Amino acid sequence: MNPMLNHPGRQSGLSMIEVLVTLVILMVGLLGLAGLQMQGLRSEMESYQRVQALILLQDMAGRINANRRNAASYVANNIGTGAAAVCTALSGQLRDTCEWSNALQGTGETSSTAASVGAMIGGRGCITYAAGTEFTNPTTGAVVAGTGLYTISVVWQGLGRTFAPTTDLCGQGKYGDEALRRVVSLAIRTADLTAP
């Protein structure tokens, strides 16, 4: 018979070490799970902001297309940086820009403290115009002088560092670290539908 088996004190001490090791392993696993959940929440917020930016991009593209005769009057930088405004007395391009500015600030949805939460963090928009651009007619293959190319951009502050956007200058230098600046852009071309 083995004399070690008859000592219950040694066996219970060994069980205590096993329990402590198990607790340490469990705690490391739970901390990893908590980190994974935080990363998931951050990714969810980044996705929400990107979807909101894409919706706002399409909204302004529709507004410009609906008022294409005055498309040049939409060109502006840093739309959405001022205070929210009442737009009901305005019309045409002024109303479109005012409503888009309010949407960029998230005024469509507020929290219980009346803070605007319906858009991206630090959202702003830019509309630029590239004059003299040309395009090829797909039917004839002829190069046609275009009426210009408008680029609509929506920028906001992301939650984590990524590569800094280099091709679109909208909002550059406004978020502290360029690796936090997010940009989505849409290029549209307006046609002159009047007869020659």
Side-chain angles (χ1 to χ4, degrees), residues 24 62 85 98 152 186:
V24 167
C98 178
I152 306 165
L186 175 67

Side-chain angles (χ1 to χ4, degrees), residues 11-36:
Q11 188 65 30
S12 65
L14 188 58
S15 293
M16 182 62 91
I17 291 173
E18 289 172 351
V19 168
L20 288 173
V21 168
T22 303
L23 284 174
V24 167
I25 292 171
L26 184 64
M27 292 303 290
V28 168
L30 288 175
L31 286 173
L33 186 61
L36 183 65

Side-chain angles (χ1 to χ4, degrees), residues 53 55-61 63 74 76 79-80 87 94-106 124-127 152-154:
I55 290 169
L56 290 170
L57 210 59
Q58 290 297 326
D59 175 49
M60 183 47 80
R63 291 172 188 265
Y74 285 86
I79 300 169
C87 306
L94 293 175
R95 184 173 185 153
D96 289 342
T97 305
C98 178
E99 288 175 350
W100 198 52
S101 176
N102 287 344
L104 284 164
Q105 295 175 38
R124 65 181 68 218
C126 300
I127 303 169
I152 306 165
S153 301
V154 175

Side-chain angles (χ1 to χ4, degrees), residues 80-157:
T81 57
V86 178
C87 306
T88 54
L90 303 172
S91 63
Q93 173 271 332
L94 293 175
R95 184 173 185 153
D96 289 342
T97 305
C98 178
E99 288 175 350
W100 198 52
S101 176
N102 287 344
L104 284 164
Q105 295 175 38
T107 59
E109 185 177 345
T110 57
S111 67
S112 60
T113 62
S116 298
V117 294
M120 305 78 54
I121 298 170
R124 65 181 68 218
C126 300
I127 303 169
T128 58
Y129 176 73
T133 56
E134 301 175 342
F135 63 97
T136 303
N137 184 324
T139 307
T140 64
V143 176
V144 179
T147 58
L149 185 68
Y150 292 89
T151 303
I152 306 165
S153 301
V154 175
V155 295
W156 69 96
Q157 180 178 335

